[in-house]
Amino acid sequence: MKQKTSYDKDDLLKCAQGELFGRDYSRVPTEPMLMIDRITTISMNGGKYDKGLLLAELDINKKNWFFHSHFIGDPVMPGCLGLDGMWQLIGFFLTWSGCTGKGRALGVNEVKFKGQVRPYHSMINYKINVKKIIKKPMPMIWGDGELYIKNRKIYTAKGLQVGLFKSLVYDFDSDPSTDTF
């Protein structure tokens, strides 16, 4: 598969539907949980560890759904959504690299917030430095993420981890004993 080095919103929405890479590949969430509008750079080379680099953007405006409930009179993007955007991106990278399965965030070692995203900001920028990828016995990826507002780093996440699972089964009967993860 020939890999593109950038993706627009239409591409990401195709990924959410299973139409970008194929049905066996992991997907990003669809709106409103999709926390990415564009991937401007994706490369197997570069980054802090020279294992891969991903740069992406999310447009911000006062109409974003989360500003209307978090918090009334004090609107701020929940920090967990920025963190989720980083997991979405590092999972996308693993899929983009050719691995199949259903993606799940597996953890993060350290998260720090040193600022906040407000409705008057116009865009956030993500930077993901891939640290390690394994493909067997199960595809997994580790990396470090950063979120910026106007070139100011306000979130850091070290040790982001995502895995791709081949046999996840959705339990329609709400019996947790049948969950495979």
Side-chain angles (χ1 to χ4, degrees):
M1 147 171 64
K2 177 153 173 40
Q3 297 167 317
K4 291 173 52 170
T5 58
S6 64
Y7 293 85
D8 64 19
K9 183 73 169 256
D10 288 338
D11 292 327
L12 295 169
L13 292 173
K14 286 178 185 173
C15 182
Q17 297 298 323
E19 298 168 0
L20 184 63
F21 299 114
R23 298 248 175 236
D24 292 335
Y25 289 82
S26 183
R27 304 172 187 194
V28 294
T30 193
E31 295 178 313
M33 276 305 297
L34 180 61
M35 298 306 297
I36 314 156
D37 283 321
R38 287 166 297 288
I39 295 173
T40 58
T41 301
I42 186 167
S43 172
M44 294 294 276
N45 304 312
K48 181 177 178 182
Y49 307 104
D50 200 30
K51 303 274 186 187
L53 176 68
L54 200 148
L55 304 174
E57 301 170 340
L58 175 68
D59 296 325
I60 299 295
N61 69 61
K62 63 183 177 182
K63 294 180 182 178
N64 289 112
W65 64 274
F66 41 80
F67 290 132
H68 301 284
S69 57
H70 191 267
F71 300 98
I72 295 173
D74 182 23
V76 61
M77 184 177 104
C80 61
L81 293 180
L83 179 61
D84 200 75
M86 293 181 204
W87 274 317
Q88 291 173 24
L89 286 164
I90 201 164
F92 184 94
F93 190 98
L94 188 56
T95 299
W96 173 83
S97 74
C99 296
T100 59
K102 293 181 181 180
R104 294 295 186 266
L106 297 176
V108 62
N109 291 341
E110 178 183 313
V111 176
K112 290 187 180 180
F113 302 112
K114 295 188 176 197
Q116 52 193 343
V117 180
R118 293 292 205 162
Y120 53 80
H121 291 123
S122 59
M123 183 187 309
I124 62 176
N125 297 86
Y126 294 101
K127 180 178 185 181
I128 304 291
N129 291 291
V130 176
K131 195 170 192 177
K132 180 179 179 182
I133 294 178
I134 62 169
K135 297 192 177 189
K136 291 185 180 185
M138 175 181 104
M140 285 198 294
I141 187 169
W142 292 263
D144 296 337
E146 300 168 345
L147 186 147
Y148 294 81
I149 293 284
K150 296 183 180 180
N151 297 319
R152 181 175 161 243
K153 183 174 19 175
I154 64 168
Y155 299 3
T156 58
K158 294 182 180 179
L160 293 158
Q161 183 181 8
V162 167
L164 300 181
F165 294 81
K166 301 271 187 218
S167 60
L168 283 181
V169 176
Y170 180 74
D171 173 27
F172 290 94
D173 295 325
S174 301
D175 179 0
S177 68
T178 63
D179 268 347
T180 54
F181 172 71

